Amino acid sequence: MGIISQEITVKEIAESLDKILKSKLLIDTDLWGQDKYNRNFLERDVNLKARHLLKLYIEIEENFGISIPEKDIVSGGFNTISNISAIILREMKNKTTR
């Protein structure tokens, strides 16, 4: 599929991540409420498993053509759709400037 665009926004990335969670991981993010993009994946009522996070990481690499830096995972940045969207946008911009 691959999402490559100079004009892509964090909102568009967040919507793409939401689709990935629904279609590839079979996670119904609509159950997370109106603020689903800011829900922490490790909250009790969200409670994504390690296998879901790993699959999401792989889907991000395949769909966006970037890799999430280890520092972002270790620091806890890989925990909401919004945070991951910002990381993806940053990495996409970094990739085009290299």
Side-chain angles (χ1 to χ4, degrees):
M1 176 164 117
I3 299 170
I4 299 175
S5 168
Q6 298 288 42
E7 302 300 320
I8 195 165
T9 66
V10 170
K11 182 175 176 17
E12 291 168 326
I13 294 170
E15 290 168 353
S16 294
L17 288 175
D18 188 40
K19 288 178 187 172
I20 289 169
L21 286 163
K22 288 178 178 176
S23 66
K24 301 287 184 171
L25 281 69
L26 306 177
I27 304 290
D28 187 357
T29 58
D30 293 334
L31 297 175
W32 298 353
Q34 286 187 321
D35 198 27
K36 67 182 175 182
Y37 292 160
N38 293 309
R39 295 296 302 274
N40 189 314
F41 292 157
L42 301 178
E43 286 180 8
R44 184 172 296 255
D45 57 338
V46 173
N47 198 25
L48 289 186
K49 307 289 186 232
R51 68 179 176 272
H52 295 124
L53 298 176
L54 179 58
K55 177 72 173 163
L56 180 59
Y57 180 87
I58 292 167
E59 289 293 331
I60 289 168
E61 286 187 334
E62 291 175 2
N63 285 280
F64 294 95
I66 57 103
S67 201
I68 302 290
E70 184 178 341
K71 67 179 170 77
D72 289 313
I73 295 170
V74 171
S75 70
F78 196 79
N79 66 343
T80 68
I81 292 173
S82 292
N83 287 349
I84 296 170
S85 298
I87 293 167
I88 291 170
L89 184 60
R90 181 194 70 213
E91 292 304 308
M92 289 175 73
K93 286 181 178 181
N94 286 344
K95 188 175 180 179
T96 60
T97 60
R98 288 182 198 154

